[in-house]
Amino acid sequence: MEMSTTLYFTALVVHIVGITIMAGTTFIDFVTFRSFGNVFQVDKAKGLVLEDYLYKLQRFMGVGMLIILASGVTMMIKLHEVWGAQIWFRIKMGVLLLIIINGLSLRRRLGSKLKKILTEDSSGDSIAGKFNRFKRDFTTVQVIQMLLFVIIYVLSIFKFN
Ligand code: HEM
């Protein structure tokens, strides 16, 4: 195997590892948030553990994104003339931007908002109403994120041109 082919395939393997971390974390974030929503008002201790875990997951999505970007750019150094001109790749870069905005900025903002809702007032009724609205926003962001991932998978594998 030629040296630069080895580098290219290595970058592709790393690409898949990054995708596993980022997309996997998105899914677990979704599942964890649902458990949190079910328990935080009835079991404070359990709620706190899950809340803490949710903030931690946020970081792993960022780490996964960095790995995906670094390996993607490495592959492009070798084949940018081939992929750069193709339609699937251009659409992919657009969807990538949406993934970054949705999954990193919006998700981070939701993280701070959750902290605010939970610390601001812990009196029963108002927190339930606020949390319901928040729950809808959080679920929307994560469902969109998972759909965006699927769109990128389809583009990257079918490579429509
Ligand atoms: C959320 C972001 C991304 C996801 C989910 C993603 C996903 C994928 C997937 C599923 C493949 C197919 C692997 C295979 O061949 O089986 C792939 C290939 C590829 N990705 Fe990405 N990717 C992302 C970001 C990027 C970025 C930012 C770049 C470049 C700057 C990039 C460059 C490439 C290239 C060049 C290939 C083609 C490898 C080949 O088939 O030879 N990707 N990506």
Side-chain angles (χ1 to χ4, degrees), residues 8 12 15-16 19 22 65 68-69 72-73 75-76 79 83 88-89 92-93 96 99 149 152-153 156-157 159:
Y8 186 91
L12 184 51
H15 206 55
I16 304 294
I19 294 160
M22 190 178 186
M65 186 78 257
I68 292 172
L69 284 173
V73 169
M75 288 188 283
M76 287 308 281
L79 281 188
W83 305 136
W88 69 273
F89 189 79
K92 175 171 169 172
M93 291 300 107
L96 175 73
I99 282 201
F149 271 115
I152 290 204
Y153 294 162
S156 303
I157 289 168
K159 295 192 173 70

Coordinates of all heavy atoms in Angstrom, one line a residue, residues 8 12 15-16 19 22 65 68-69 72-73 75-76 79 83 88-89 92-93 96 99 149 152-153 156-157 159, ligand 1:
Y8 N -4.3 8.2 4.3 CA -5.7 8.5 3.9 C -6.7 7.6 4.7 O -7.7 8.0 5.3 CB -5.9 8.4 2.4 CG -7.3 8.9 1.9 CD1 -7.5 10.2 1.6 CD2 -8.4 8.0 1.9 CE1 -8.8 10.6 1.2 CE2 -9.6 8.4 1.5 CZ -9.8 9.7 1.1 OH -11.1 10.1 0.7
L12 N -9.5 8.1 7.6 CA -10.9 7.7 7.5 C -11.3 6.9 8.7 O -12.4 7.1 9.2 CB -11.0 6.9 6.2 CG -12.5 6.4 5.8 CD1 -13.5 7.6 5.9 CD2 -12.5 5.8 4.5
H15 N -11.8 9.3 11.3 CA -13.1 10.0 11.0 C -14.3 9.2 11.6 O -15.1 9.8 12.3 CB -13.2 10.0 9.5 CG -14.1 11.1 8.9 ND1 -13.9 12.5 9.2 CD2 -15.1 11.1 8.1 CE1 -14.7 13.2 8.6 NE2 -15.5 12.4 7.9
I16 N -14.3 7.9 11.4 CA -15.4 7.0 11.9 C -15.4 7.1 13.5 O -16.4 7.1 14.1 CB -15.2 5.6 11.4 CG1 -15.2 5.5 9.9 CG2 -16.4 4.7 11.9 CD1 -16.5 6.0 9.2
I19 N -17.0 10.2 14.5 CA -18.4 10.2 14.3 C -19.1 9.4 15.4 O -20.1 9.7 15.9 CB -18.7 9.6 12.9 CG1 -18.2 10.5 11.8 CG2 -20.2 9.3 12.7 CD1 -18.0 9.8 10.5
M22 N -19.2 11.5 18.5 CA -20.2 12.7 18.5 C -21.6 12.2 18.3 O -22.5 12.6 19.1 CB -19.8 13.6 17.3 CG -20.6 14.9 17.4 SD -20.2 16.1 16.2 CE -21.2 17.5 16.7
M65 N -16.5 16.3 17.5 CA -16.5 17.3 16.4 C -15.0 17.6 15.9 O -14.7 17.6 14.8 CB -17.2 18.5 16.7 CG -17.4 19.5 15.6 SD -18.7 19.0 14.5 CE -17.9 18.4 13.1
I68 N -13.5 14.7 14.1 CA -14.1 14.6 12.8 C -13.5 15.6 11.8 O -13.1 15.3 10.7 CB -15.7 14.8 12.8 CG1 -16.3 13.6 13.5 CG2 -16.2 14.9 11.4 CD1 -17.8 13.9 13.8
L69 N -13.4 16.8 12.3 CA -12.8 17.9 11.5 C -11.4 17.6 11.1 O -11.0 17.7 9.9 CB -12.9 19.2 12.2 CG -14.3 19.9 12.3 CD1 -14.3 21.1 13.2 CD2 -14.8 20.3 10.9
G72 N -11.2 14.8 8.7 CA -11.8 15.2 7.4 C -10.9 16.1 6.6 O -10.6 15.9 5.4
V73 N -10.3 17.0 7.3 CA -9.3 17.9 6.6 C -8.1 17.1 6.1 O -7.6 17.4 5.0 CB -8.9 19.1 7.6 CG1 -7.7 19.9 7.0 CG2 -10.1 20.0 7.8
M75 N -8.0 14.1 5.1 CA -8.4 13.4 3.8 C -8.4 14.4 2.7 O -8.1 14.1 1.5 CB -9.7 12.7 4.0 CG -9.6 11.4 4.9 SD -11.2 10.5 4.9 CE -12.2 11.5 5.9
M76 N -8.9 15.6 3.0 CA -9.1 16.6 1.9 C -7.7 17.1 1.4 O -7.6 17.5 0.2 CB -9.9 17.8 2.4 CG -11.4 17.4 2.5 SD -12.1 16.7 1.0 CE -12.3 18.2 0.0
L79 N -7.2 14.5 -1.3 CA -8.2 14.3 -2.4 C -9.1 15.6 -2.6 O -10.2 15.4 -3.1 CB -9.0 13.1 -2.2 CG -8.4 11.8 -2.6 CD1 -9.4 10.6 -2.5 CD2 -7.8 11.8 -4.0
W83 N -12.9 15.4 -4.3 CA -14.2 15.6 -3.5 C -14.7 17.0 -3.6 O -15.9 17.3 -3.6 CB -14.0 15.2 -2.1 CG -13.5 13.8 -1.9 CD1 -12.5 13.4 -1.0 CD2 -13.9 12.6 -2.5 NE1 -12.3 12.0 -1.0 CE2 -13.2 11.5 -1.9 CE3 -14.9 12.3 -3.5 CZ2 -13.4 10.2 -2.3 CZ3 -15.1 11.0 -3.9 CH2 -14.3 9.9 -3.3
W88 N -22.2 16.3 -3.5 CA -22.4 15.7 -2.2 C -21.5 16.4 -1.1 O -22.0 16.6 0.0 CB -22.2 14.2 -2.2 CG -20.7 13.8 -2.3 CD1 -20.1 13.5 -3.5 CD2 -19.8 13.5 -1.3 NE1 -18.8 13.2 -3.3 CE2 -18.6 13.2 -1.9 CE3 -19.8 13.6 0.1 CZ2 -17.4 12.9 -1.2 CZ3 -18.6 13.3 0.8 CH2 -17.4 12.9 0.1
F89 N -20.3 16.6 -1.5 CA -19.4 17.2 -0.6 C -19.7 18.6 -0.2 O -19.7 19.1 0.9 CB -17.9 17.2 -1.1 CG -16.9 17.5 -0.1 CD1 -16.5 16.6 0.9 CD2 -16.4 18.8 0.0 CE1 -15.6 17.0 1.9 CE2 -15.5 19.2 1.0 CZ -15.1 18.2 2.0
K92 N -22.7 18.5 2.0 CA -22.2 18.0 3.3 C -21.6 19.1 4.1 O -21.9 19.2 5.3 CB -21.2 16.9 3.0 CG -20.5 16.4 4.3 CD -19.7 15.2 4.0 CE -18.8 14.8 5.2 NZ -18.1 13.5 5.1
M93 N -20.8 20.0 3.5 CA -20.2 21.1 4.3 C -21.3 22.1 4.8 O -21.2 22.6 5.9 CB -19.2 21.9 3.4 CG -17.9 21.1 3.1 SD -17.0 20.6 4.6 CE -17.4 18.8 4.6
L96 N -22.9 20.3 7.6 CA -21.9 20.4 8.7 C -22.0 21.6 9.5 O -22.0 21.6 10.8 CB -20.5 20.3 8.1 CG -19.3 20.4 9.1 CD1 -19.2 19.2 10.0 CD2 -18.0 20.7 8.4
I99 N -24.9 21.3 11.7 CA -24.6 20.5 12.9 C -23.9 21.2 14.0 O -24.1 21.1 15.1 CB -23.8 19.2 12.4 CG1 -24.8 18.2 11.7 CG2 -23.1 18.6 13.6 CD1 -24.3 16.8 11.6
F149 N -27.3 14.2 11.1 CA -26.3 13.1 11.0 C -26.7 12.1 9.9 O -25.8 11.7 9.1 CB -26.1 12.4 12.4 CG -25.1 13.0 13.2 CD1 -25.4 13.6 14.5 CD2 -23.7 13.0 12.9 CE1 -24.5 14.2 15.3 CE2 -22.8 13.6 13.7 CZ -23.1 14.2 14.9
I152 N -25.9 13.5 6.5 CA -24.5 13.4 6.2 C -24.1 12.0 5.9 O -23.3 11.8 5.0 CB -23.6 14.0 7.3 CG1 -23.9 15.6 7.4 CG2 -22.2 13.7 7.1 CD1 -22.8 16.3 8.0
Y153 N -24.6 11.0 6.6 CA -24.2 9.6 6.3 C -24.6 9.3 4.9 O -23.8 8.7 4.1 CB -24.9 8.6 7.2 CG -24.5 8.7 8.7 CD1 -25.3 8.2 9.7 CD2 -23.3 9.3 9.1 CE1 -25.0 8.2 11.0 CE2 -23.0 9.4 10.4 CZ -23.8 8.9 11.4 OH -23.5 8.9 12.7
S156 N -22.4 11.1 2.4 CA -21.0 10.6 2.4 C -20.9 9.2 1.8 O -19.8 8.9 1.2 CB -20.4 10.6 3.8 OG -20.5 11.8 4.4
I157 N -21.9 8.4 1.9 CA -21.8 7.0 1.4 C -22.3 6.9 0.0 O -21.6 6.3 -0.9 CB -22.5 6.1 2.4 CG1 -21.7 6.0 3.7 CG2 -22.7 4.7 1.8 CD1 -22.4 5.4 4.8
K159 N -22.4 9.4 -2.1 CA -21.6 10.4 -2.9 C -22.3 10.8 -4.2 O -21.7 10.7 -5.3 CB -20.2 9.8 -3.2 CG -19.3 9.6 -1.9 CD -17.9 9.3 -2.3 CE -17.0 9.2 -1.1 NZ -17.2 8.0 -0.2
Ligands
HEM1 C1 -20.5 15.8 11.4 C2 -19.6 15.7 10.5 C3 -19.3 14.6 9.6 C4 -19.8 13.3 9.5 C5 -21.0 12.8 10.3 C6 -19.1 12.6 8.5 C7 -19.4 11.3 8.0 C8 -18.8 10.6 7.1 C9 -19.1 9.3 6.6 C10 -20.2 8.4 7.2 C11 -18.2 9.0 5.7 C12 -18.2 7.7 4.8 C13 -17.1 6.8 5.3 C14 -17.0 5.6 4.3 O1 -16.4 5.8 3.3 O2 -17.6 4.6 4.6 C15 -17.3 10.1 5.4 C16 -16.4 10.2 4.5 C17 -15.6 11.3 4.2 N1 -15.6 12.5 4.9 FE1 -16.9 13.0 6.4 N2 -18.1 13.4 7.9 C18 -18.2 14.6 8.6 C19 -17.4 15.8 8.4 C20 -16.4 15.8 7.4 C21 -15.6 17.0 7.2 C22 -15.6 18.3 8.0 C23 -14.8 16.7 6.1 C24 -13.7 17.5 5.4 C25 -13.3 18.7 5.7 C26 -15.1 15.3 5.7 C27 -14.5 14.6 4.7 C28 -14.8 13.4 4.3 C29 -14.2 12.7 3.2 C30 -13.1 13.3 2.2 C31 -14.7 11.5 3.1 C32 -14.5 10.4 2.0 C33 -13.7 9.3 2.3 C34 -13.7 8.3 1.2 O3 -14.8 7.8 0.9 O4 -12.7 8.1 0.6 N3 -16.1 14.8 6.5 N4 -17.7 11.1 6.3

